[in-house]
Amino acid sequence: MKARFVGQGASRYVVGDVTPFDQKNEMFCRPFWDEAQLDLGKKFYMTEVPPKNKPGYELKGQALVNASWHLENIFAQGVAGGRMGMYAWEWEQIYEYPLVPPGLKIETDNPAELTRGIKKVASFFGASLVGVCKLDRRWVYSAAYPLRDQKSTPNEVPDTCQYAIVVAIEMDYKAIGCSPTNPSSGATGLGYSKMAFTAGLLAHYIRGLGYQAVACGNDTACSIPLAIDAGLGELARSGLLITPAFGPRVRLAKVLTDLPLVADRPIEFGVWDFCLKCEKCALKCPSQSIRYGEPTNKPNNISNREGLLRWPINAETCLAFWATNGTDCSNCIRSCPFNKPPGWLHDAVRWGVRTLPRLNPFFVWMDDVCGYGKQRNPDRFWSS
Ligand code: SF4
Ligand code: SF4
């Protein structure tokens, strides 16, 4: 689907001073230091979850989830602060073939060609979408909080890293449809492992060209504004990025670099106006963590930044539901009308959303009538 180019990326949501964001305020970190979240931390991080004799919660599903997360958890830890394994900032030369002489640097007198090459390699390594933007330092965390150390550390992204390459990894449509049960958690975990694989290899490729590369998952900088700046999509009521091809059914990683590239242009394809009329994610959120009605610049708690007009998510109640559910949740992805595989009918509706916003209430109604967004029986993940 074609989108319109617009002049502003994530800046279009800025309505005041954007407060610097310390990663310790991110919801996965707060259970380690925030008194009010310590009990939630014990429940979420330290309590064993016995399998249940219930579709979507059996041992085979739990094993699937843990296997899907394995590469991220053991060799990257982007959710826990990154800066190791696939997300290491420095690279130790252990074994390389061919053994290229050190100190070589690729010619960079044609940034457009270089950018095409970087995108080709990102896709080759597994990116479903890739975009490039100038690195807006407002979206870089003011401090890092690696869960390994459980203390704030300076987040010293080199000044020379002027660009971000943002990659989006598509998650499995049918598995996400089973949310909030184990098949959808498996799709999420696999998305995180693929993020680390793709961004880590891409960073290593750039280092091989003689340039700096900082690969990151959720760590180091907010992924969504960078993805918006890089022309991958728009911000939605669910707090997620909506892409034209996959809707919100993607995970995001990025590589910060000093390689001289050509930035993509931000896009718009009717998401904001559609979200004003559609509240499906809010209705289907089991913890009622998604805001109804108009957007606001008022944060729910310290996990939201100030200075942005959007629909801020209540990450406290969201994580509390995950802890009670025994596995994470993607209902806000599953229920979104933009979450559909490509196809002529879905593409025609997306065209309508972009060009005929007056029909948005009708499109939302049709989505409901057609039964989209309902939970898929988790048993069908195994049988189909
Ligand atoms: S992940 Fe689930 S609980 Fe959290 S905001 Fe989305 S729908 Fe709500
Ligand atoms: S479900 Fe509706 S309101 Fe929520 S993000 Fe998707 S389009 Fe926007």
Side-chain angles (χ1 to χ4, degrees), residues 236-238 242 274-275 278-281 332 335-338:
R237 180 186 293 277
S238 56
I242 303 245
F274 194 83
C275 288
C278 169
E279 295 178 326
K280 286 190 77 164
C281 53
C332 39
S335 60
C336 181
F338 287 98

Side-chain angles (χ1 to χ4, degrees), residues 6 35 44 106 114 121 147 151 246 249 267 345 363 367:
V6 289
E35 295 267 319
F44 182 68
I106 198 168
L114 202 58
V121 171
L147 297 186
K151 62 178 185 208
F246 310 111
R249 192 170 30 87
I267 57 169
L345 182 60
F363 293 136
D367 201 75

Side-chain angles (χ1 to χ4, degrees), residues 139-220:
W139 313 127
V140 176
Y141 293 141
S142 56
Y145 192 84
L147 297 186
R148 295 184 290 280
D149 311 326
Q150 292 174 32
K151 62 178 185 208
S152 282
T153 54
N155 196 23
E156 290 156 341
V157 175
D159 289 342
T160 45
C161 286
Q162 303 254 340
Y163 289 91
I165 304 158
V166 186
V167 295
I169 306 289
E170 182 193 6
M171 294 184 288
D172 187 272
Y173 176 71
K174 290 181 177 174
I176 288 291
C178 300
S179 172
T181 62
N182 281 322
S184 72
S185 301
T188 301
L190 188 60
Y192 273 96
S193 286
K194 287 180 175 178
M195 283 160 57
F197 180 90
T198 302
L201 294 193
L202 182 62
H204 199 60
Y205 171 73
I206 293 170
R207 291 179 200 122
L209 300 179
Y211 283 82
Q212 284 181 304
V214 171
C216 10
N218 287 9
D219 57 290
T220 307

Side-chain angles (χ1 to χ4, degrees), residues 28 43-45 49 52 56-57 61-62 64-66 68-69 72-73 79 171 175-192 218 251 286-287 317-334 375 378:
F28 292 118
K43 195 170 170 189
F44 182 68
Y45 285 111
V49 181
K52 295 179 199 161
Y57 296 90
Q62 292 180 317
L64 176 83
V65 175
N66 285 335
S68 298
W69 277 95
E72 150 69 11
N73 286 343
V79 175
M171 294 184 288
I176 288 291
C178 300
S179 172
T181 62
N182 281 322
S184 72
S185 301
T188 301
L190 188 60
Y192 273 96
N218 287 9
R251 303 240 76 97
S287 60
T317 49
C318 172
L319 192 66
F321 171 72
W322 294 15
T324 304
N325 186 43
T327 193
D328 58 67
C329 166
S330 292
N331 280 18
C332 39
I333 299 175
R334 181 196 94 199
Q375 187 191 25

